Amino acid sequence: AYVRHIENYLDGCFDFYEFEPQAVLFDSMRYSLLAGGKRLRPVFVFDFCRMAGGCWPDATPFAAAVEMIHTYSLIHDDLPSMDNDDFRRGRPTNHKVYGEAMAILAGDGLLNYAFETAVKAFEMVDPKDILAVSKALSILARKAGIYGMIGGQTADIEAENISDSREDEALKNHPWE
């Protein structure tokens, strides 16, 4: 039920996508976001919400946002300047289909759209839970940013430029949480 729910929600996030001049951007974003996968991250969000006593459908904006952030990271990670991958989930990577510039914009678009989507949770929860939604949004931003995923990717890139013995030390003493 969770996977079917999030798939429908993610698909519906692009009801507007045919409008120019951004149609190719939306196509590129959809290409990677709707490429399949197990949707483990949204399932975890729904389960955590349910275990904490919440109504799991209320967590849909956050579940979608987490999947958008994950997809953005994959698009960027596949770029020639990062891992230079040609295939993801058995299909050509985003930059192979849409070009590097559009793949970068699609990743950037998904990151920003993730937060546009996550803030919709404020409309879905009981007013007494607004503080919890605010805290969750803050955590999402921090863990996706320079003290989380982006910081980790930076350490990975920097580690490529140092010897193996210094790599372990650099990763051990990272400044992010």
Side-chain angles (χ1 to χ4, degrees):
Y2 290 164
V3 173
R4 196 169 41 254
H5 179 76
I6 198 63
E7 288 289 345
N8 290 335
Y9 187 86
L10 289 170
D11 188 47
C13 285
F14 291 90
D15 288 344
F16 59 87
Y17 90 100
E18 294 179 6
F19 299 109
E20 292 291 341
Q22 298 93 346
V24 69
L25 172 64
F26 300 147
D27 284 341
S28 180
M29 291 166 67
R30 284 176 57 92
Y31 177 81
S32 293
L33 182 64
L34 302 178
K38 297 178 185 107
R39 303 296 190 207
L40 291 176
R41 288 153 195 84
V43 167
F44 292 153
V45 171
F46 292 142
D47 265 349
F48 288 140
C49 178
R50 186 184 50 76
M51 288 186 288
C55 179
W56 72 264
D58 289 349
T60 301
F62 273 97
V66 168
E67 193 66 13
M68 289 176 190
I69 291 169
H70 173 64
T71 302
Y72 125 78
S73 76
L74 296 177
I75 292 171
H76 281 196
D77 195 52
D78 291 339
L79 289 167
S81 60
M82 299 278 191
D83 288 347
N84 196 23
D85 289 319
D86 293 336
F87 292 92
R88 166 90 43 201
R89 295 182 178 138
R91 300 182 346 158
T93 54
N94 198 295
H95 72 274
K96 290 294 182 181
V97 175
Y98 293 95
E100 284 184 58
M102 194 55 60
I104 292 168
L105 291 173
D108 293 349
L110 282 168
L111 178 60
N112 284 290
Y113 197 42
F115 288 97
E116 287 181 47
T117 302
V119 299
K120 292 177 183 175
F122 285 110
E123 301 165 7
M124 299 178 74
V125 299
D126 190 292
K128 69 178 176 44
D129 295 325
I130 294 294
L131 187 57
V133 172
S134 177
K135 177 68 173 169
L137 190 57
S138 175
I139 291 168
L140 183 65
R142 185 168 179 83
K143 296 305 178 183
I146 61 174
Y147 296 107
M149 187 175 57
I150 294 171
Q153 187 67 30
T154 301
D156 185 46
I157 291 168
E158 289 297 304
E160 292 174 7
N161 300 323
I162 59 178
S163 68
D164 287 340
S165 62
R166 288 185 46 220
E167 179 179 355
D168 289 339
E169 190 64 28
L171 291 174
K172 221 180 343 182
N173 295 318
H174 58 76
W176 57 91
E177 300 172 340

